[in-house]
Amino acid sequence: MAINTDNVRLVFGLKLKQLRLDKGMSLSELSQKSGLSISYINEIEKGKKYPKSDKILALAAAMDVDYDTLVSLKLSKRLEPISDLLSSNILTELPLELFGIDPANLLEILSDAPMKISAFVGTLIEIARNYNMSIEKFYFSALRTYQEMHDNYFEDIETEAERFLTENQVAPERLLDETYLAEILRTRYNYVIENINERLNPEFSSVRSLTITNSSGSRLLINMHLSSVQRAFIYGREIGYLYLNLKNRLHTTALVEAESFEQLLNNFKASYFASAIIIKRSLLVPAIADFFAQKTWQPEKLIDLIHNFNTTPESFCYRLSNILPRYFGINQIFFSRFNNFVGQNLFDMTKEMHISRKHYPHTVRDEHYCRRWVALTVLNDLAEIIQHKEQPRILCKAQKSTYIDTQDQYLVISFAQPMSPTPNLNVSVSMGIYLDDQTREKLAFLQDPQLPSRDVNQTCERCSLFDCRERIAAPVILQKKFKNEELRKALRRMIN
């Protein structure tokens, strides 16, 4: 979308319209004084046309302003939020067409009610500032919205992944490992694969991979502390970039490198491709159908599936978010990831995605997530294993979580494991499935007494369970809500 050139037209149109309104002139009056047609002035104000110099002079004379004032790109204070929006990278980088928005319509909306839109945009900017939202976080939010719009299922990438497997004569039952994928990169794409030298480049010690492409060829540098399945995914993603012909790319997955929305979108597509060739839908769908048909909750079978597919809990859960809506009709789900350092009662949500009309805003700034969530208790279990000097392993727990404010119930399945290569850092990934009547019929093990049930909430600050033993913060937001409600009731009594 070529919105850069539209910015000049739009700013000129916004200024012209605001000046006209400030002077109390109608379109008809400006037309008479300038000698330009009403329809032409209307198109200028909507940012559709930019007048030539002689017409700008006529408009400036008609409104008694000088030429330079009219052509300046500086907007008035009242329209500054729109100016900030136009001067940022958001509109130039975000492909609005992906979200069903015609860029021309957006420009028309901005020009139709500039004062109201400016106030609205200013509000959004203020919210973003209060929540410390960087442009990178904005792009990530946009990407999550794009995934949720499509139920995180993309048939075109699934088809390309299966075409790749067919071209390489991969048998339907074969599972790809790091050796096979590395060989594809070396032989087909002439890649050199080597370890990151942490002594020479200590700044890359926490980076999982680094791709360097220049005139001499392509090098893929890998963190030596990664597991075999982590390396397999990186190789698969690299093949995804190449096979899908994605040119504008990230060379690492470090957030600091993201320069545009297109880079994040292409990284998502390449990662989706990697998941699709490593965890084939043709094998995963029947395996999950068998698991759902079990009468008892057997977490070890899910862990076995993760090992059998040569993947990680995160990739496995994320792949489930692809196939559950499409193949099982389970389309009210959420995916989340938490980090926790061993021995610390601090939990950082690092990823969240909802494919659900039952949307719980789990990401809440400066509040304490409910310590009854299985996503957090499984991390405590793993930390205890590590503190007892036992060999860490993948843990899997589940619980039926009932949100006390709404009585909505979710089945939440959580996995926890150490997060290589960072020492003492553990990660949990969770898949939450909303339990409506239709979904309950598909999960045969829900009635297993070994599957625990717990009342939960979003955060301690919003929770009415005053006798909760896990509480670590006072319900200050809830108390404020009650206080305000009492004030409203008192005001209504006074008025009535």
Side-chain angles (χ1 to χ4, degrees), residues 84 90 94 117 152 186 188 232 328 356 371 450 483:
D84 291 342
I90 293 174
L94 200 62
I117 296 297
N152 203 32
R186 290 190 180 99
R188 173 175 291 193
F328 294 89
S356 173
R371 264 37 181 188
Q450 299 300 313
K483 183 177 179 180

Side-chain angles (χ1 to χ4, degrees), residues 353-386:
M353 181 178 65
H354 290 259
I355 306 174
S356 173
R357 287 173 293 279
K358 295 281 186 182
H359 191 298
Y360 289 100
H362 285 154
T363 305
V364 183
R365 185 184 177 218
D366 298 330
E367 295 182 32
H368 297 83
Y369 296 113
C370 178
R371 264 37 181 188
R372 296 182 171 202
W373 287 354
V374 68
L376 307 189
T377 61
V378 73
L379 282 169
N380 288 333
D381 291 347
L382 180 58
E384 188 173 340
I385 288 174
I386 293 173

Side-chain angles (χ1 to χ4, degrees), residues 14 38 48 58 61 66 83 117 133 158 168 218 221 302 320 322 337 381 398 422 434 439 481 494-495:
L14 289 173
I38 292 176
K48 294 181 178 180
D66 60 75
S83 180
I117 296 297
M133 178 173 281
E158 298 278 356
N168 287 277
S218 297
L221 306 181
L302 281 179
L320 283 181
N322 301 145
R337 181 179 69 195
D381 291 347
T422 307
Y434 176 66
T439 301
K481 178 181 177 182
M494 291 285 288
I495 294 171

Side-chain angles (χ1 to χ4, degrees), residues 392-411:
R393 60 188 185 278
I394 296 175
L395 300 185
C396 178
K397 292 178 65 175
Q399 74 182 33
K400 289 179 284 187
S401 298
T402 303
Y403 283 80
I404 61 173
D405 292 335
T406 63
Q407 292 301 299
D408 287 332
Q409 192 173 69
Y410 278 79
L411 169 69

Side-chain angles (χ1 to χ4, degrees), residues 176-192:
L176 304 186
D177 58 18
E178 66 159 318
T179 302
Y180 179 86
L181 295 171
E183 188 63 19
I184 290 285
L185 282 174
R186 290 190 180 99
T187 58
R188 173 175 291 193
Y189 298 107
N190 299 317
Y191 265 57
V192 174

Side-chain angles (χ1 to χ4, degrees), residues 3-14 44 47 49-50 70-73 86:
I3 201 167
N4 277 332
T5 56
D6 292 335
N7 282 356
V8 175
R9 294 201 305 268
L10 180 59
V11 169
F12 185 89
L14 289 173
I44 293 173
K49 289 188 177 179
Y50 190 88
L70 198 54
V71 299
S72 168
L73 294 179
L86 294 174

